[in-house]
Amino acid sequence: MKILVPIKRVPDPYGRVRLTPGGHVDETDIKWVINPFDEIALEEAIRLREAGHDIEILAVAIGTTAWEEQLRTALAMGADRALLIQQEAPADPGRISHYLAAIARQEQPQIILMGKQAIDDDCNQTGQRLAALLQIPQATFASRIELTPDGTCARVTREVDTGRETIEVTLPAVITADLRLNEPRYVALPAIIKARSKPLLRIDAAQLQIPPTAPVTTLRLETPPPRRAGRRVGSVDELITALREEARVI
Amino acid sequence: MDPLLVLMETDGTAVLPATLPAIAFAQAWTRMTRGRFHLLLAGGPDIVTQAETWRGYGEERLLIASDPALTHPTADRVAAVTLQALRATGARWLAGTASSFGKDILPRVAGLLDAPMISDVLSMQPDDNGPIFRRPVYAGNLIATVQIPPEAGVVSVRATAFGQPARATPGQVESLPVEPASLPQGTRWIGQDTAQNKRPDLTTARVVISGGRPLRDPETFEQILGALADKLGGALGATRAAVDSGIAPNELQIGQTGKVIAPELYIAAGVSGSVQHLAGIKDAKVIVAINIDGDAPIFQIADYGLVADLFQAVPELTRKL
Ligand SMILES: Cc1cc2nc3c(=O)[nH]c(=O)nc-3n(C[C@H](O)[C@H](O)[C@H](O)COP(=O)(O)OP(=O)(O)OC[C@H]3O[C@@H](n4cnc5c(N)ncnc54)[C@H](O)[C@@H]3O)c2cc1C
Ligand SMILES: Nc1ncnc2c1ncn2[C@@H]1O[C@H](COP(=O)(O)O)[C@@H](O)[C@H]1O
């Protein structure tokens, strides 16, 4: 079985994102990482293999040559090969899903296991769009994945607003990972160096001949007004008085 | 402008209140574009009984797609029916709420339409070159203003952004024929594990009490924070750390990847105030932080900060209220 894991390069979630005076994201101090949800998706693919299924893992990124760093990390974690679809301009989920669909048609993976959301654009769209383009089932926000013994279906527990839901999808399918699916392993530097011998292929995005899609144009980025700093209260009694008489919320 | 279709949120049997923010958006859209909107109700045979209660927001039509094949509204099937409804009404715009239901289904419809989608819309503004939307990015650290072409699009609406919809003239009820054999067959619904919640819904509660990692276990969480929530008629919420450690169930997670809330009063006890957590509480009217560490980042945004041990302060607060 083949599992395709899309990998996005994003700023470290624990760092702070600032704007330049020109209104662009200031990239000077950014530490780049694999999107945390994609890391979870990759970890799950590796665990399925470790559980005894015969699985080949292909990591795919659509981005600039700088993104090879994250693909190398994915190889070090356990992906078997990686593919960089080289493209300079950032693209929205509509377009990204077309690139991924093109690769999926070539590679015919049984599962596309990916993050539910990229922590930079916070769109939460690409997996669902991809499933629609490929006309295959989707299981989003997965917190547990189990393959049926004959390998034709996946049983997925999903995190939903009311609790948890379980569905079974016939493969091939798109599954998107939520935070509770697993905790990704740590990759040590030697593993990253060793992974240099694993295949990383680059192709030019133009080669895939994706027809134009209606664009989402970013007109402006701004920092929201900060919340007014409040004050400290010295005791529970003082807090109660403030809530009753000042804020009038209780 | 072409009409807008609202995908109503259902569990297959009944309409859920999470539908309301999308209807409020549709009303704002209609006012700004002098347009019109339709509602789509999809579910099993019982869903038909919901039409009377849930129409009457100024919609032109309420379409009902009802069939046993939709008793469990899985994304592939509801998306297919939504596409059919868009075609039947000539609507080129689709809106729903950015809940787990909407986040699952709306992008799939956008994929079927091959149309751009804007997630988590905070506000909108019409423009000749296509509508302009504001939405949070980077866990709400930045706000993006984005535009899509005027032809077609899908939006998911942040639940706290457009207020409550106003009651207005009810539209025509129409049924949308469903052909079960032509619906996707690749997803089977197995079951659900819905928490028994005796408290108000977290996303709409007037008061929310939340806790983080120091709450230790579900019993302590319930005992310390549950008592305060009940005293104030509030809901319980939690941080990711609390959910990950099994202290609170996943549906209580607030933040970038959990729920977004806008209560009048938010009390955070033992919550450090990470960027990801703050993404979910920025619209709270009054934020109270109780934390033992005076340097915890949560104090930078709290209206009232109390440096104290929550195991003493929270029970004292409950007792004295
Ligand atoms: C991709 C991604 C997405 C995320 N999404 C979310 C999200 O949606 N929501 C979310 O919440 N987090 C999210 N996180 C996690 C987030 O970064 C933080 O790790 C998390 O919010 C911390 O939870 P906490 O405040 O409970 O724990 P901690 O950071 O451990 O803080 C505990 C706090 O309790 C205080 N404390 C300890 N003992 C006491 C006591 N006796 N009395 C009073 N105070 C005490 C401490 O001083 C400390 O400030 C996400 C992270 C990533 C990487
Ligand atoms: N440029 C990209 N390259 C590879 N995968 C991507 C890219 N953009 C998005 N994805 C995948 O799509 C998921 C959801 O992204 P989004 O819809 O932008 O929130 C991410 O977690 C990735 O798995």
Side-chain angles (χ1 to χ4, degrees), chain A residues 11 13-19 25 37 40 92 94 98 116-126 128-133 135-141 153 155 158-170 178-180 182-183 212-224 227-237 239-240 242-244 246-250, chain B residues 9 74-76 99-101 103-105 107-108 110-112 114-119 132 134-149 185-195 206-207 232 240 243-244 250-251 253 256-259 264-265 267 275-276 281-288 290 294-295 299-307 313 316-317 320-321:
Chain A
Y14 300 110
R16 222 180 166 70
V17 171
R18 290 194 179 77
L19 288 181
V25 171
F37 291 96
I40 293 169
D92 55 81
H98 275 282
K116 75 162 181 178
Q117 141 181 12
I119 59 144
D120 51 359
D121 67 23
D122 281 333
C123 279
N124 197 332
Q125 292 182 24
T126 309
Q128 298 87 315
R129 301 187 72 114
L130 176 60
L133 294 179
Q135 298 188 316
I136 58 175
Q138 70 187 51
T140 53
F141 323 147
C153 300
R155 191 171 273 224
R158 310 179 51 233
E159 294 205 349
V160 293
D161 287 349
T162 49
R164 274 174 308 212
E165 178 187 76
T166 304
I167 58 173
E168 198 173 85
V169 287
T170 305
D178 215 318
L179 292 171
R180 244 85 53 199
N182 60 51
E183 221 170 283
T213 47
V216 177
T217 312
T218 300
L219 303 178
R220 199 164 53 245
L221 280 176
E222 61 205 321
T223 309
R227 265 189 92 98
R228 180 184 48 82
R231 66 178 173 91
R232 297 284 165 101
V233 289
S235 67
V236 168
D237 292 314
L239 176 62
I240 294 175
L243 292 178
R244 282 207 174 118
E246 226 172 75
R248 294 173 192 275
V249 284
I250 55 170
Chain B
E9 181 156 342
T74 55
D76 49 0
S99 55
S100 60
F101 176 90
K103 288 174 177 172
D104 187 33
I105 298 169
R108 188 171 177 109
L112 295 175
D114 205 8
M117 171 166 170
I118 307 299
S119 304
I132 294 172
R134 289 173 72 251
R135 61 176 303 267
V137 291
Y138 296 94
N141 272 321
L142 300 177
I143 305 292
T145 303
V146 296
Q147 184 168 37
I148 54 179
Q185 308 291 327
T187 310
R188 282 158 308 282
W189 187 85
I190 305 291
Q192 75 186 36
D193 183 356
T194 303
R206 199 189 71 82
V207 175
L232 291 168
R240 172 188 170 185
V243 175
D244 283 359
N250 67 274
E251 65 272 15
Q253 184 180 313
Q256 179 189 22
T257 52
K259 286 179 178 159
E264 276 187 43
L265 174 60
I267 302 181
V275 170
Q276 291 86 7
I281 63 167
K282 285 193 173 138
D283 294 328
K285 199 174 140 218
V286 174
I287 297 178
V288 174
I290 300 173
D295 293 328
F299 287 122
Q300 290 163 21
I301 63 133
D303 298 283
Y304 300 106
L306 178 63
V307 180
E316 185 186 340
L317 182 58
K320 288 181 171 167
L321 279 172

Side-chain angles (χ1 to χ4, degrees), chain B residues 59-132:
Chain B
E59 70 283 355
E60 193 171 276
R61 292 192 243 167
L62 170 75
L63 280 83
I64 305 179
S66 158
D67 191 275
L70 297 170
T71 299
H72 298 296
T74 55
D76 49 0
R77 290 190 177 173
V78 179
V81 166
T82 306
L83 186 68
Q84 201 189 327
L86 287 162
R87 301 225 160 108
T89 55
R92 287 168 166 280
W93 296 90
L94 175 68
T97 303
S99 55
S100 60
F101 176 90
K103 288 174 177 172
D104 187 33
I105 298 169
L106 297 166
R108 188 171 177 109
V109 184
L112 295 175
L113 286 173
D114 205 8
M117 171 166 170
I118 307 299
S119 304
D120 233 353
V121 164
L122 299 172
S123 68
M124 81 80 95
Q125 184 196 324
D127 185 88
D128 288 344
N129 299 321
I132 294 172

Side-chain angles (χ1 to χ4, degrees), chain B residues 212-213 239-240 253-254 257 272 274 276-277 291-292 309-310:
Chain B
R213 205 191 306 265
T239 65
R240 172 188 170 185
Q253 184 180 313
I254 296 167
T257 52
S272 60
S274 66
Q276 291 86 7
H277 186 76
N291 196 305
I292 206 160
D309 181 349
L310 77 89

